[in-house]
Tab-separated table of all heavy atoms in Angstrom:
chain	number	residue	atom	x	y	z
L	379	GLU	N	-5.202	-13.741	-1.250
L	379	GLU	CA	-4.991	-12.957	-2.449
L	379	GLU	C	-6.163	-12.974	-3.474
L	379	GLU	O	-6.692	-11.932	-3.942
L	379	GLU	CB	-3.752	-13.406	-3.219
L	379	GLU	CG	-3.333	-12.525	-4.371
L	379	GLU	CD	-2.027	-12.902	-4.962
L	379	GLU	OE1	-1.713	-14.069	-5.146
L	379	GLU	OE2	-1.217	-11.910	-5.150
L	382	ARG	N	-8.952	-10.948	-1.814
L	382	ARG	CA	-8.648	-9.515	-1.752
L	382	ARG	C	-8.665	-8.858	-3.013
L	382	ARG	O	-9.111	-7.721	-3.185
L	382	ARG	CB	-7.209	-9.283	-1.083
L	382	ARG	CG	-6.771	-7.902	-1.065
L	382	ARG	CD	-7.749	-6.994	-0.175
L	382	ARG	NE	-7.364	-5.543	-0.296
L	382	ARG	CZ	-7.761	-4.708	-1.234
L	382	ARG	NH1	-8.567	-5.050	-2.145
L	382	ARG	NH2	-7.390	-3.380	-1.163
L	383	TRP	N	-8.317	-9.490	-4.189
L	383	TRP	CA	-8.038	-8.801	-5.451
L	383	TRP	C	-8.850	-9.475	-6.565
L	383	TRP	O	-8.953	-8.734	-7.532
L	383	TRP	CB	-6.569	-8.813	-5.805
L	383	TRP	CG	-5.791	-7.974	-4.882
L	383	TRP	CD1	-4.840	-8.334	-3.984
L	383	TRP	CD2	-5.786	-6.477	-4.728
L	383	TRP	NE1	-4.270	-7.219	-3.328
L	383	TRP	CE2	-4.864	-6.113	-3.788
L	383	TRP	CE3	-6.559	-5.548	-5.408
L	383	TRP	CZ2	-4.635	-4.821	-3.448
L	383	TRP	CZ3	-6.302	-4.264	-5.002
L	383	TRP	CH2	-5.427	-3.869	-4.050
L	384	PHE	N	-9.270	-10.674	-6.539
L	384	PHE	CA	-9.867	-11.353	-7.713
L	384	PHE	C	-11.264	-11.917	-7.492
L	384	PHE	O	-11.828	-12.586	-8.479
L	384	PHE	CB	-8.914	-12.389	-8.112
L	384	PHE	CG	-7.481	-11.861	-8.384
L	384	PHE	CD1	-6.414	-12.206	-7.568
L	384	PHE	CD2	-7.274	-11.153	-9.471
L	384	PHE	CE1	-5.170	-11.677	-7.740
L	384	PHE	CE2	-6.026	-10.655	-9.777
L	384	PHE	CZ	-4.906	-10.918	-8.827
L	388	ILE	N	-15.069	-5.739	-9.443
L	388	ILE	CA	-14.702	-4.491	-8.876
L	388	ILE	C	-13.276	-4.690	-8.209
L	388	ILE	O	-12.341	-3.734	-8.416
L	388	ILE	CB	-15.658	-4.053	-7.797
L	388	ILE	CG1	-16.975	-3.533	-8.432
L	388	ILE	CG2	-15.070	-2.898	-6.921
L	388	ILE	CD1	-16.826	-2.179	-9.182
L	389	LEU	N	-13.061	-5.726	-7.482
L	389	LEU	CA	-11.785	-5.970	-6.895
L	389	LEU	C	-10.661	-6.173	-7.947
L	389	LEU	O	-9.581	-5.644	-7.755
L	389	LEU	CB	-11.777	-7.154	-5.987
L	389	LEU	CG	-12.665	-7.040	-4.773
L	389	LEU	CD1	-12.718	-8.378	-3.884
L	389	LEU	CD2	-12.165	-5.921	-3.709
L	390	LYS	N	-11.033	-6.911	-9.016
L	390	LYS	CA	-10.031	-7.150	-10.067
L	390	LYS	C	-9.681	-5.843	-10.769
L	390	LYS	O	-8.528	-5.656	-11.068
L	390	LYS	CB	-10.712	-8.063	-11.107
L	390	LYS	CG	-9.852	-8.411	-12.306
L	390	LYS	CD	-8.412	-8.965	-11.969
L	390	LYS	CE	-7.664	-9.605	-13.107
L	390	LYS	NZ	-7.443	-8.652	-14.256
L	391	ALA	N	-10.644	-4.947	-10.911
L	391	ALA	CA	-10.343	-3.617	-11.480
L	391	ALA	C	-9.363	-2.834	-10.514
L	391	ALA	O	-8.405	-2.188	-11.042
L	391	ALA	CB	-11.589	-2.783	-11.756
L	392	GLY	N	-9.575	-3.015	-9.271
L	392	GLY	CA	-8.637	-2.318	-8.343
L	392	GLY	C	-7.249	-2.903	-8.427
L	392	GLY	O	-6.224	-2.100	-8.365
L	393	TYR	N	-7.129	-4.193	-8.709
L	393	TYR	CA	-5.866	-4.858	-8.908
L	393	TYR	C	-5.132	-4.323	-10.155
L	393	TYR	O	-4.008	-3.877	-10.107
L	393	TYR	CB	-5.973	-6.306	-8.982
L	393	TYR	CG	-4.780	-7.034	-9.494
L	393	TYR	CD1	-3.703	-7.379	-8.598
L	393	TYR	CD2	-4.613	-7.331	-10.821
L	393	TYR	CE1	-2.593	-8.008	-9.057
L	393	TYR	CE2	-3.412	-7.937	-11.321
L	393	TYR	CZ	-2.444	-8.267	-10.401
L	393	TYR	OH	-1.254	-8.847	-10.841
L	394	ASP	N	-5.955	-4.243	-11.146
L	394	ASP	CA	-5.421	-3.725	-12.486
L	394	ASP	C	-4.911	-2.328	-12.357
L	394	ASP	O	-3.859	-1.933	-12.907
L	394	ASP	CB	-6.404	-3.907	-13.607
L	394	ASP	CG	-6.838	-5.317	-13.880
L	394	ASP	OD1	-5.942	-6.239	-13.692
L	394	ASP	OD2	-7.924	-5.570	-14.523
L	395	MET	N	-5.698	-1.457	-11.752
L	395	MET	CA	-5.227	0.014	-11.616
L	395	MET	C	-4.047	0.145	-10.757
L	395	MET	O	-3.144	0.881	-11.086
L	395	MET	CB	-6.506	0.676	-11.014
L	395	MET	CG	-7.648	0.889	-12.002
L	395	MET	SD	-9.019	1.958	-11.221
L	395	MET	CE	-9.880	0.669	-10.355
L	396	THR	N	-4.065	-0.623	-9.696
L	396	THR	CA	-2.841	-0.573	-8.796
L	396	THR	C	-1.556	-1.042	-9.447
L	396	THR	O	-0.551	-0.353	-9.477
L	396	THR	CB	-3.033	-1.418	-7.521
L	396	THR	OG1	-4.267	-0.965	-6.836
L	396	THR	CG2	-1.908	-1.250	-6.489
L	397	LYS	N	-1.745	-2.178	-10.215
L	397	LYS	CA	-0.565	-2.746	-10.992
L	397	LYS	C	-0.071	-1.676	-12.017
L	397	LYS	O	1.127	-1.468	-12.168
L	397	LYS	CB	-0.939	-4.008	-11.606
L	397	LYS	CG	0.108	-4.732	-12.303
L	397	LYS	CD	-0.335	-6.149	-12.808
L	397	LYS	CE	0.791	-6.911	-13.433
L	397	LYS	NZ	1.104	-6.362	-14.856
L	398	ARG	N	-1.042	-1.044	-12.687
L	398	ARG	CA	-0.560	-0.140	-13.763
L	398	ARG	C	0.043	1.055	-13.127
L	398	ARG	O	1.134	1.557	-13.764
L	398	ARG	CB	-1.811	0.352	-14.523
L	398	ARG	CG	-1.539	1.364	-15.661
L	398	ARG	CD	-2.769	1.936	-16.324
L	398	ARG	NE	-3.348	0.856	-17.105
L	398	ARG	CZ	-4.569	1.025	-17.767
L	398	ARG	NH1	-5.273	2.115	-17.488
L	398	ARG	NH2	-4.988	0.063	-18.513
L	399	SER	N	-0.388	1.570	-12.013
L	399	SER	CA	0.164	2.731	-11.380
L	399	SER	C	1.608	2.456	-10.877
L	399	SER	O	2.544	3.255	-11.033
L	399	SER	CB	-0.692	3.253	-10.159
L	399	SER	OG	-1.892	3.796	-10.670
L	400	ILE	N	1.848	1.253	-10.279
L	400	ILE	CA	3.156	0.887	-9.814
L	400	ILE	C	4.077	0.723	-10.997
L	400	ILE	O	5.220	1.284	-11.010
L	400	ILE	CB	3.072	-0.426	-8.992
L	400	ILE	CG1	2.322	-0.189	-7.706
L	400	ILE	CG2	4.441	-0.882	-8.676
L	400	ILE	CD1	2.040	-1.387	-6.888
L	401	GLU	N	3.623	0.121	-12.018
L	401	GLU	CA	4.489	-0.150	-13.210
L	401	GLU	C	4.847	1.164	-13.850
L	401	GLU	O	5.925	1.472	-14.281
L	401	GLU	CB	3.867	-1.069	-14.162
L	401	GLU	CG	3.740	-2.452	-13.641
L	401	GLU	CD	2.990	-3.326	-14.631
L	401	GLU	OE1	2.171	-2.887	-15.447
L	401	GLU	OE2	3.187	-4.600	-14.548
L	402	TYR	N	3.864	2.064	-13.998
L	402	TYR	CA	4.116	3.376	-14.596
L	402	TYR	C	5.116	4.256	-13.830
L	402	TYR	O	6.047	4.850	-14.340
L	402	TYR	CB	2.901	4.166	-14.766
L	402	TYR	CG	3.150	5.551	-15.224
L	402	TYR	CD1	3.509	5.863	-16.519
L	402	TYR	CD2	2.917	6.632	-14.381
L	402	TYR	CE1	3.721	7.134	-16.971
L	402	TYR	CE2	3.098	7.974	-14.812
L	402	TYR	CZ	3.534	8.186	-16.110
L	402	TYR	OH	3.737	9.469	-16.508
L	403	SER	N	4.814	4.359	-12.517
L	403	SER	CA	5.771	5.174	-11.661
L	403	SER	C	7.104	4.591	-11.340
L	403	SER	O	8.005	5.363	-11.114
L	403	SER	CB	4.931	5.473	-10.362
L	403	SER	OG	3.727	6.055	-10.607
L	404	LEU	N	7.210	3.313	-11.291
L	404	LEU	CA	8.424	2.685	-10.749
L	404	LEU	C	9.040	1.745	-11.611
L	404	LEU	O	10.247	1.856	-11.956
L	404	LEU	CB	8.195	2.103	-9.428
L	404	LEU	CG	7.790	3.051	-8.271
L	404	LEU	CD1	7.390	2.323	-7.034
L	404	LEU	CD2	8.892	4.048	-7.924
L	405	LEU	N	8.306	0.766	-11.977
L	405	LEU	CA	8.917	-0.354	-12.713
L	405	LEU	C	9.352	-0.096	-14.163
L	405	LEU	O	10.268	-0.767	-14.700
L	405	LEU	CB	7.979	-1.578	-12.704
L	405	LEU	CG	7.663	-2.091	-11.288
L	405	LEU	CD1	6.820	-3.362	-11.310
L	405	LEU	CD2	8.908	-2.397	-10.444
L	406	GLU	N	8.865	0.988	-14.712
L	406	GLU	CA	9.220	1.390	-15.994
L	406	GLU	C	10.368	2.377	-16.019
L	406	GLU	O	10.824	2.947	-17.090
L	406	GLU	CB	8.013	1.894	-16.837
L	406	GLU	CG	7.010	0.958	-17.154
L	406	GLU	CD	5.698	1.449	-17.891
L	406	GLU	OE1	5.809	2.592	-18.197
L	406	GLU	OE2	4.895	0.667	-18.076
L	407	ASN	N	10.830	2.669	-14.825
L	407	ASN	CA	11.881	3.731	-14.631
L	407	ASN	C	13.244	2.922	-14.650
L	407	ASN	O	13.604	2.215	-13.656
L	407	ASN	CB	11.795	4.377	-13.313
L	407	ASN	CG	12.889	5.395	-13.003
L	407	ASN	OD1	13.726	5.532	-13.835
L	407	ASN	ND2	12.741	6.142	-11.882
L	423	GLY	N	1.921	-10.620	-0.658
L	423	GLY	CA	3.063	-10.377	-1.522
L	423	GLY	C	2.685	-10.026	-2.918
L	423	GLY	O	3.513	-10.247	-3.889
L	424	THR	N	1.489	-9.610	-3.174
L	424	THR	CA	0.945	-9.314	-4.494
L	424	THR	C	1.869	-8.302	-5.164
L	424	THR	O	2.208	-8.516	-6.341
L	424	THR	CB	-0.409	-8.756	-4.335
L	424	THR	OG1	-1.214	-9.684	-3.625
L	424	THR	CG2	-1.080	-8.526	-5.700
L	425	TRP	N	2.170	-7.292	-4.482
L	425	TRP	CA	3.062	-6.242	-5.223
L	425	TRP	C	4.468	-6.429	-4.954
L	425	TRP	O	5.312	-6.026	-5.768
L	425	TRP	CB	2.664	-4.798	-4.622
L	425	TRP	CG	1.194	-4.595	-4.582
L	425	TRP	CD1	0.372	-4.409	-3.547
L	425	TRP	CD2	0.208	-4.769	-5.758
L	425	TRP	NE1	-0.974	-4.263	-3.954
L	425	TRP	CE2	-1.019	-4.554	-5.243
L	425	TRP	CE3	0.407	-5.059	-7.054
L	425	TRP	CZ2	-2.154	-4.617	-6.051
L	425	TRP	CZ3	-0.624	-5.177	-7.820
L	425	TRP	CH2	-1.947	-4.897	-7.381
L	426	THR	N	4.850	-7.203	-3.966
L	426	THR	CA	6.240	-7.623	-3.777
L	426	THR	C	6.800	-8.391	-4.903
L	426	THR	O	7.910	-8.145	-5.314
L	426	THR	CB	6.420	-8.524	-2.477
L	426	THR	OG1	5.574	-8.013	-1.374
L	426	THR	CG2	7.801	-8.618	-1.952
L	427	LYS	N	5.968	-9.157	-5.462
L	427	LYS	CA	6.334	-9.991	-6.713
L	427	LYS	C	6.773	-9.117	-7.841
L	427	LYS	O	7.748	-9.487	-8.501
L	427	LYS	CB	5.179	-10.932	-7.119
L	427	LYS	CG	4.702	-11.896	-6.119
L	427	LYS	CD	3.420	-12.628	-6.487
L	427	LYS	CE	2.867	-13.549	-5.524
L	427	LYS	NZ	1.560	-14.160	-5.893
L	428	LEU	N	6.071	-7.944	-8.053
L	428	LEU	CA	6.392	-7.121	-9.141
L	428	LEU	C	7.833	-6.634	-8.994
L	428	LEU	O	8.538	-6.574	-9.923
L	428	LEU	CB	5.363	-5.907	-9.233
L	428	LEU	CG	3.961	-6.218	-9.449
L	428	LEU	CD1	3.132	-4.880	-9.531
L	428	LEU	CD2	3.774	-6.994	-10.798
L	429	PHE	N	8.185	-6.183	-7.751
L	429	PHE	CA	9.529	-5.637	-7.489
L	429	PHE	C	10.483	-6.823	-7.541
L	429	PHE	O	11.625	-6.545	-7.984
L	429	PHE	CB	9.510	-4.956	-6.168
L	429	PHE	CG	8.701	-3.654	-6.123
L	429	PHE	CD1	7.445	-3.602	-5.593
L	429	PHE	CD2	9.327	-2.532	-6.630
L	429	PHE	CE1	6.803	-2.389	-5.578
L	429	PHE	CE2	8.558	-1.300	-6.682
L	429	PHE	CZ	7.306	-1.233	-6.203
L	430	LYS	N	10.216	-7.908	-6.990
L	430	LYS	CA	11.238	-8.977	-7.009
L	430	LYS	C	11.489	-9.531	-8.395
L	430	LYS	O	12.651	-9.896	-8.609
L	430	LYS	CB	10.672	-10.176	-6.086
L	430	LYS	CG	11.735	-11.238	-5.688
L	430	LYS	CD	12.837	-10.394	-4.847
L	430	LYS	CE	13.970	-11.390	-4.509
L	430	LYS	NZ	15.122	-10.771	-3.982
L	431	GLU	N	10.498	-9.502	-9.225
L	431	GLU	CA	10.769	-9.968	-10.592
L	431	GLU	C	11.640	-8.931	-11.319
L	431	GLU	O	12.423	-9.319	-12.227
L	431	GLU	CB	9.454	-10.232	-11.229
L	431	GLU	CG	8.754	-11.457	-10.792
L	431	GLU	CD	7.322	-11.591	-11.276
L	431	GLU	OE1	6.845	-10.745	-12.011
L	431	GLU	OE2	6.680	-12.568	-10.786
L	432	LYS	N	11.501	-7.687	-11.019
L	432	LYS	CA	12.382	-6.638	-11.644
L	432	LYS	C	13.753	-6.557	-11.069
L	432	LYS	O	14.716	-6.327	-11.710
L	432	LYS	CB	11.644	-5.268	-11.579
L	432	LYS	CG	12.402	-4.130	-12.086
L	432	LYS	CD	12.167	-4.053	-13.667
L	432	LYS	CE	13.020	-2.845	-14.274
L	432	LYS	NZ	12.343	-1.620	-14.183
L	458	TYR	N	10.918	-17.225	-4.387
L	458	TYR	CA	11.879	-16.103	-4.517
L	458	TYR	C	13.024	-16.246	-3.411
L	458	TYR	O	12.748	-16.732	-2.343
L	458	TYR	CB	11.174	-14.765	-4.501
L	458	TYR	CG	10.147	-14.520	-5.507
L	458	TYR	CD1	8.842	-14.711	-5.217
L	458	TYR	CD2	10.501	-14.201	-6.833
L	458	TYR	CE1	7.894	-14.473	-6.216
L	458	TYR	CE2	9.566	-13.933	-7.690
L	458	TYR	CZ	8.260	-14.127	-7.421
L	458	TYR	OH	7.277	-13.874	-8.413
L	481	PHE	N	8.399	0.490	0.497
L	481	PHE	CA	7.059	0.359	-0.245
L	481	PHE	C	6.075	-0.112	0.815
L	481	PHE	O	6.382	-0.923	1.771
L	481	PHE	CB	7.130	-0.717	-1.336
L	481	PHE	CG	5.795	-0.934	-2.005
L	481	PHE	CD1	5.301	-0.033	-2.967
L	481	PHE	CD2	5.043	-2.031	-1.638
L	481	PHE	CE1	4.041	-0.250	-3.547
L	481	PHE	CE2	3.715	-2.243	-2.249
L	481	PHE	CZ	3.226	-1.366	-3.201
L	483	SER	N	1.554	-0.673	0.888
L	483	SER	CA	0.264	-0.543	0.340
L	483	SER	C	-0.786	-0.716	1.329
L	483	SER	O	-0.938	-1.857	2.009
L	483	SER	CB	0.081	-1.509	-0.816
L	483	SER	OG	-1.231	-1.491	-1.344
L	484	ARG	N	-1.573	0.331	1.623
L	484	ARG	CA	-2.817	0.249	2.431
L	484	ARG	C	-2.522	-0.230	3.872
L	484	ARG	O	-3.117	-1.071	4.339
L	484	ARG	CB	-3.936	-0.600	1.851
L	484	ARG	CG	-4.439	0.065	0.539
L	484	ARG	CD	-5.408	-0.873	-0.230
L	484	ARG	NE	-5.909	-0.262	-1.377
L	484	ARG	CZ	-5.323	-0.320	-2.587
L	484	ARG	NH1	-4.214	-0.897	-2.760
L	484	ARG	NH2	-5.881	0.378	-3.602
L	510	PHE	N	7.454	4.358	-2.277
L	510	PHE	CA	6.129	4.439	-2.871
L	510	PHE	C	5.097	4.024	-1.881
L	510	PHE	O	5.212	2.879	-1.300
L	510	PHE	CB	6.023	3.468	-4.071
L	510	PHE	CG	4.918	3.633	-5.027
L	510	PHE	CD1	4.972	4.461	-6.124
L	510	PHE	CD2	3.691	2.968	-4.759
L	510	PHE	CE1	3.864	4.670	-6.981
L	510	PHE	CE2	2.597	3.078	-5.608
L	510	PHE	CZ	2.724	3.891	-6.836
L	512	ILE	N	1.101	3.630	-0.944
L	512	ILE	CA	-0.316	3.625	-1.290
L	512	ILE	C	-1.193	3.661	-0.049
L	512	ILE	O	-1.028	2.769	0.899
L	512	ILE	CB	-0.678	2.409	-2.135
L	512	ILE	CG1	0.169	2.314	-3.383
L	512	ILE	CG2	-2.114	2.412	-2.525
L	512	ILE	CD1	0.027	1.068	-4.210
L	557	PRO	N	-3.341	9.525	-8.106
L	557	PRO	CA	-4.366	8.541	-7.800
L	557	PRO	C	-4.016	7.139	-8.215
L	557	PRO	O	-3.312	6.997	-9.324
L	557	PRO	CB	-5.580	9.112	-8.699
L	557	PRO	CG	-4.899	9.877	-9.772
L	557	PRO	CD	-3.636	10.449	-9.201
L	558	VAL	N	-4.314	6.181	-7.407
L	558	VAL	CA	-3.985	4.806	-7.747
L	558	VAL	C	-5.187	3.991	-8.183
L	558	VAL	O	-5.230	3.251	-9.148
L	558	VAL	CB	-3.200	4.138	-6.560
L	558	VAL	CG1	-2.933	2.635	-6.836
L	558	VAL	CG2	-1.839	4.860	-6.354
L	559	VAL	N	-6.155	4.031	-7.273
L	559	VAL	CA	-7.395	3.349	-7.559
L	559	VAL	C	-8.578	4.332	-7.627
L	559	VAL	O	-8.770	5.174	-6.682
L	559	VAL	CB	-7.709	2.246	-6.548
L	559	VAL	CG1	-9.132	1.653	-6.702
L	559	VAL	CG2	-6.600	1.151	-6.625
L	560	MET	N	-9.352	4.328	-8.655
L	560	MET	CA	-10.474	5.216	-8.864
L	560	MET	C	-11.789	4.456	-8.554
L	560	MET	O	-11.915	3.249	-8.895
L	560	MET	CB	-10.554	5.756	-10.241
L	560	MET	CG	-9.254	6.513	-10.649
L	560	MET	SD	-8.792	7.833	-9.605
L	560	MET	CE	-9.951	9.082	-10.191
L	572	LYS	N	-11.923	1.968	-14.254
L	572	LYS	CA	-10.693	1.914	-15.012
L	572	LYS	C	-10.620	2.994	-15.990
L	572	LYS	O	-9.491	3.486	-16.294
L	572	LYS	CB	-10.604	0.560	-15.609
L	572	LYS	CG	-10.414	-0.640	-14.626
L	572	LYS	CD	-10.456	-1.979	-15.177
L	572	LYS	CE	-9.290	-2.331	-15.955
L	572	LYS	NZ	-9.238	-3.765	-16.444
L	575	HIS	N	-9.372	5.959	-14.159
L	575	HIS	CA	-7.899	5.761	-13.884
L	575	HIS	C	-7.040	6.091	-15.171
L	575	HIS	O	-6.052	6.663	-14.961
L	575	HIS	CB	-7.757	4.328	-13.395
L	575	HIS	CG	-6.335	4.014	-13.024
L	575	HIS	ND1	-5.402	3.376	-13.800
L	575	HIS	CD2	-5.633	4.283	-11.798
L	575	HIS	CE1	-4.266	3.255	-13.155
L	575	HIS	NE2	-4.413	3.833	-12.001
L	576	ARG	N	-7.515	5.619	-16.252
L	576	ARG	CA	-6.723	5.930	-17.468
L	576	ARG	C	-6.536	7.453	-17.760
L	576	ARG	O	-5.578	7.862	-18.294
L	576	ARG	CB	-7.317	5.158	-18.649
L	576	ARG	CG	-6.964	3.736	-18.773
L	576	ARG	CD	-7.234	3.165	-20.195
L	576	ARG	NE	-8.736	3.122	-20.369
L	576	ARG	CZ	-9.523	2.137	-20.161
L	576	ARG	NH1	-9.070	1.046	-19.541
L	576	ARG	NH2	-10.792	2.189	-20.466
L	579	TYR	N	-4.233	8.764	-13.957
L	579	TYR	CA	-3.203	8.125	-13.201
L	579	TYR	C	-1.846	8.682	-13.469
L	579	TYR	O	-0.952	8.593	-12.588
L	579	TYR	CB	-3.309	6.601	-13.286
L	579	TYR	CG	-2.608	6.049	-14.518
L	579	TYR	CD1	-1.263	5.514	-14.440
L	579	TYR	CD2	-3.269	6.017	-15.733
L	579	TYR	CE1	-0.756	4.945	-15.508
L	579	TYR	CE2	-2.702	5.530	-16.818
L	579	TYR	CZ	-1.383	4.901	-16.859
L	579	TYR	OH	-0.779	4.363	-17.918
L	580	LYS	N	-1.704	9.325	-14.611
L	580	LYS	CA	-0.327	9.879	-14.900
L	580	LYS	C	-0.193	11.382	-14.422
L	580	LYS	O	0.831	11.953	-14.609
L	580	LYS	CB	0.003	9.869	-16.416
L	580	LYS	CG	0.110	8.410	-17.027
L	580	LYS	CD	0.333	8.529	-18.433
L	580	LYS	CE	0.497	7.100	-19.018
L	580	LYS	NZ	0.893	7.071	-20.489
L	592	GLU	N	-9.591	6.350	-4.520
L	592	GLU	CA	-9.790	5.517	-3.411
L	592	GLU	C	-8.564	5.717	-2.389
L	592	GLU	O	-8.906	5.761	-1.193
L	592	GLU	CB	-9.867	4.030	-3.673
L	592	GLU	CG	-10.195	3.022	-2.528
L	592	GLU	CD	-10.361	1.720	-2.925
L	592	GLU	OE1	-11.437	1.307	-3.383
L	592	GLU	OE2	-9.289	0.931	-2.726
Side-chain angles (χ1 to χ4, degrees):
E379 188 169 43
R382 176 62 185 87
W383 293 113
F384 304 106
I388 289 287
L389 293 176
K390 177 59 166 59
Y393 168 85
D394 292 338
M395 288 183 276
T396 304
K397 184 173 183 287
R398 177 184 290 173
S399 290
I400 292 173
E401 290 176 338
Y402 171 73
S403 297
L404 296 172
L405 299 183
E406 294 178 5
N407 180 358
T424 303
W425 313 121
T426 319
K427 295 172 189 174
L428 296 182
F429 290 100
K430 196 58 182 170
E431 288 168 5
K432 179 80 181 277
Y458 299 101
F481 178 79
S483 176
R484 296 175 174 87
F510 194 91
I512 300 173
V558 172
V559 173
M560 305 300 282
K572 292 173 72 172
H575 183 261
R576 282 196 291 271
Y579 82 101
K580 293 182 180 180
E592 185 179 277

